[in-house]
């Protein structure tokens, strides 16, 4: 096996290679709050013009937040999962596009933690702490279902592999230094190949045209005879042979994005009502913010968002409890807690982003204000996986203690 630490590398394409090293949970949250304050400025304009957030992602890399899940023995903060979810939620309140772009980054750092060799962990964790970004090449279009992969990793004569396939919805790939590719090996087992951006035969196409999450650049990745050394391939299929938190970890971050969208929309709605909305003439009031019907509706929405935030926090803590003592029981409990958080957050985000216009009035629909970006973002991101299936698993667990499946999406 080739020594990964001495393998030739393509020069980093996006990240500078230098980053702050965050040392703990409190620091991670403080850095995330500070970045969110800055990323919120210009979020509406970036969406309206589809201006990709290259400068903001460079700042995110330099901040050290991309390295907060690196284990302590490799120099990282190894923050709690609940902290990571809150970091993503904070970023999503500012710009859910920026929050979604590193979602796969954290997922594939976690894959290395679970299944990477000692040499792989040493090399790639150093890359992450230096600010390098992972982007995904995971989903495929036109297959039977979301976990039907046609991309293949074939043996090459030099002991390495050749990668061929086409990927869609490749969030983060356009901005990545390393692209993580899900593929099947010759034995039809699921693996992850870590491919440097700019590798010969690798093409990233910026053809994402979703109505929401417009600046995630979740486009197409084409792989044509891409050479991959054996020591950049991780046996991901082993993740699902026993109790695992891969799905819970990934789904928790998706839920955090939806909760952040809901909070951002509600914040804008209340500010709009206070400062710009007119009262309905039948109320006899001078200010829309004094209308008891509007107050009632905003109170209902506030309760919904707070419930989503609380469920997200509890789900993160459930994953952390399972990390401390991982077995079938704790893994199932964590997955169900995350499923409950997402099953509540998804419809809450769609409801709140729609109700923004209900409480704010006609003026809020002006295209120049771009308040509809919240609904477009929520409606697009919540299509990631169907809540109705999560409800099924939650019901089976509640009624018969049937553990959820180990397919990585719950």
């Amino acid at each position: 096996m080739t020594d990964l630490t001495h393998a030739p590398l393509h020069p980093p394409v996006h990240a500078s290679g230098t980053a702050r090293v965050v040392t703990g949970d409190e620091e991670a949250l403080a850095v995330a709050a500070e970045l969110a304050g800055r990323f919120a400025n210009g979020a509406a304009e970036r969406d309206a013009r589809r201006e990709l957030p290259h400068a903001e992602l460079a700042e995110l890399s330099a901040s050290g937040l991309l390295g907060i899940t690196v284990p302590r023995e490799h120099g990282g903060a190894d923050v709690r999962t609940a902290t990571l979810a809150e970091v993503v939620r904070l970023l999503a309140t500012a710009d859910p596009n920026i929050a979604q772009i590193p979602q796969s980054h954290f997922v594939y750092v976690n894959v290395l933690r679970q299944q990477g060799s000692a040499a792989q962990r040493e090399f790639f964790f150093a890359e992450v702490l230096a600010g390098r970004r992972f982007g995904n090449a995971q989903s495929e279009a036109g297959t039977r279902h979301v976990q039907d992969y046609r991309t293949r990793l074939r043996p090459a004569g030099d002991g390495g592999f050749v990668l061929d396939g086409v990927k869609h919805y490749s969030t983060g790939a356009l901005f990545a230094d390393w692209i993580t590719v899900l593929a099947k090996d010759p034995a039809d087992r699921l693996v992850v190949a870590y491919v440097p951006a700019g590798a010969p035969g690798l093409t990233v196409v910026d053809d994402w045209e979703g109505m929401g999450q417009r600046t995630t650049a979740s486009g197409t990745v084409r792989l044509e005879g891409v050479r991959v050394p054996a020591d950049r391939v991780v046996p991901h299929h082993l993740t699902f042979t026993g109790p695992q938190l891969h799905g819970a970890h990934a789904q928790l971050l998706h839920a955090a994005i939806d909760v952040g969208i809901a909070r951002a929309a509600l914040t804008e709605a209340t500010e709009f009502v206070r400062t710009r909305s007119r009262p309905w003439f039948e109320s006899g009031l001078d200010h829309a913010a004094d209308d008891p019907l509007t107050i009632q509706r905003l109170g209902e929405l506030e309760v919904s968002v707070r419930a989503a935030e609380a469920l997200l926090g509890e789900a993160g803590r459930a994953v952390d409890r399972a990390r401390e003592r991982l077995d079938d029981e704790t893994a199932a409990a964590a997955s169900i807690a995350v499923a409950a958080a997402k099953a509540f957050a998804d419809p809450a985000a769609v409801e709140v982003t729609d109700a923004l216009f209900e409480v704010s009035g006609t003026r809020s629909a002006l295209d120049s204000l771009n308040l509809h970006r919240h609904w477009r973002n929520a409606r697009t991101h919540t299509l990631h996986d169907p809540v109705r299936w999560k409800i099924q698993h939650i019901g089976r667990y509640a009624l018969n203690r049937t553990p959820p499946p180990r397919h990585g999406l719950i």
Side-chain angles (χ1 to χ4, degrees):
M1 187 172 185
T2 306
D3 182 359
L4 185 65
T5 59
H6 293 93
L9 296 177
H10 290 266
V13 175
H14 299 98
S16 67
T18 58
R20 169 182 183 170
V21 176
V22 174
T23 59
D25 293 71
E26 290 186 8
E27 184 181 357
L29 293 171
V31 171
E34 181 183 350
L35 286 182
R38 291 203 290 276
F39 292 167
N41 296 324
E45 291 76 13
R46 286 192 297 272
D47 173 272
R49 300 170 185 166
R50 198 178 177 271
E51 293 179 351
L52 301 182
H54 290 287
E56 289 76 15
L57 289 174
E59 190 173 1
L60 180 64
S61 287
S63 76
L65 284 182
L66 297 182
I68 60 176
T69 60
V70 170
R72 289 191 179 276
E73 59 266 30
H74 289 274
D78 200 7
V79 300
R80 295 186 296 272
T81 311
T83 298
L84 176 62
E86 180 63 5
V87 164
V88 173
R89 188 196 71 83
L90 285 168
L91 294 175
T93 63
D95 187 335
N97 295 267
I98 293 174
Q100 187 181 347
I101 289 167
Q103 188 269 348
S104 290
H105 170 91
F106 290 117
V107 168
Y108 287 101
V109 170
N110 195 47
V111 168
L112 287 165
R113 289 185 62 140
Q114 301 306 314
Q115 302 301 340
S117 67
Q120 287 171 329
R121 291 195 298 269
E122 181 181 356
F123 174 77
F124 280 114
F125 289 157
E127 287 284 281
V128 171
L129 289 176
R132 310 276 195 252
R133 296 191 288 270
F134 294 162
N136 93 78
Q138 178 171 299
S139 294
E140 299 181 14
T143 56
R144 290 186 305 115
H145 52 71
V146 71
Q147 292 196 322
D148 180 20
Y149 301 110
R150 295 173 181 167
T151 300
R152 287 295 182 267
L153 192 73
R154 298 180 288 104
D158 59 1
F161 297 92
V162 175
L163 194 59
D164 290 284
V166 180
K167 298 290 188 174
H168 299 269
Y169 312 117
S170 302
T171 303
L174 190 68
F175 311 103
D177 300 286
W178 293 90
I179 297 176
T180 55
V181 183
L182 276 183
K184 292 294 187 71
D185 71 4
D188 204 38
R189 299 173 302 186
L190 190 63
V191 297
V192 178
Y194 289 72
V195 180
L202 171 69
T203 306
V204 181
V205 184
D206 182 19
D207 58 358
W208 171 240
E209 57 176 359
M211 69 174 179
Q213 296 298 89
R214 296 179 62 196
T215 64
T216 59
S218 300
T220 301
V221 170
R222 295 194 178 98
L223 304 131
E224 300 172 295
V226 177
R227 303 299 295 268
V228 182
D231 50 15
R232 291 184 189 159
V233 178
V234 175
H236 192 32
H237 58 94
L238 296 177
T239 301
F240 308 103
T241 58
Q244 51 82 32
L245 297 171
H246 175 81
H249 181 271
Q251 290 291 303
L252 181 71
L253 303 187
H254 281 304
I257 294 166
D258 296 330
V259 175
I261 293 172
R263 173 55 70 189
L266 186 55
T267 298
E268 287 223 52
T270 54
E271 178 64 17
F272 198 96
V273 169
R274 278 196 301 266
T275 61
R276 306 186 70 170
S277 295
R278 296 185 298 178
W280 184 242
F281 73 96
E282 290 181 282
S283 71
L285 298 169
D286 294 328
H287 303 288
D290 296 327
D291 183 342
L293 299 181
T294 301
I295 291 171
Q296 174 72 21
R297 185 63 176 128
L298 283 168
E300 293 168 350
L301 297 172
E302 179 67 26
V303 169
S304 182
V305 174
R306 287 190 181 218
E309 291 168 344
L311 283 168
L312 180 70
E314 173 51 32
R317 291 188 290 273
V319 175
D320 284 326
R321 288 193 292 271
R323 284 178 60 185
E324 294 175 1
R325 184 179 63 83
L326 183 61
D327 55 28
D328 286 330
E329 182 178 344
T330 60
S335 288
I336 292 299
V338 172
K342 196 165 191 303
F344 190 89
D346 281 22
V350 174
E351 180 191 15
V352 172
T353 55
D354 178 72
L356 182 159
F357 304 100
E358 171 194 336
V359 298
S360 300
T362 306
R363 191 180 306 178
S364 63
L366 292 177
D367 195 54
S368 59
L369 296 175
N370 200 18
L371 293 177
H372 51 70
R373 76 186 187 280
H374 297 296
W375 181 87
R376 289 187 289 102
N377 289 335
R379 184 64 281 178
T380 299
H381 186 256
T382 55
L383 296 175
H384 186 272
D385 49 275
V387 161
R388 59 188 177 274
W389 277 96
K390 297 184 186 303
I391 296 294
Q392 286 286 309
H393 296 309
I394 293 167
R396 293 186 185 108
Y397 183 81
L399 186 61
N400 299 315
R401 279 298 182 264
T402 304
R406 292 174 177 166
H407 54 43
L409 289 175
I410 187 170

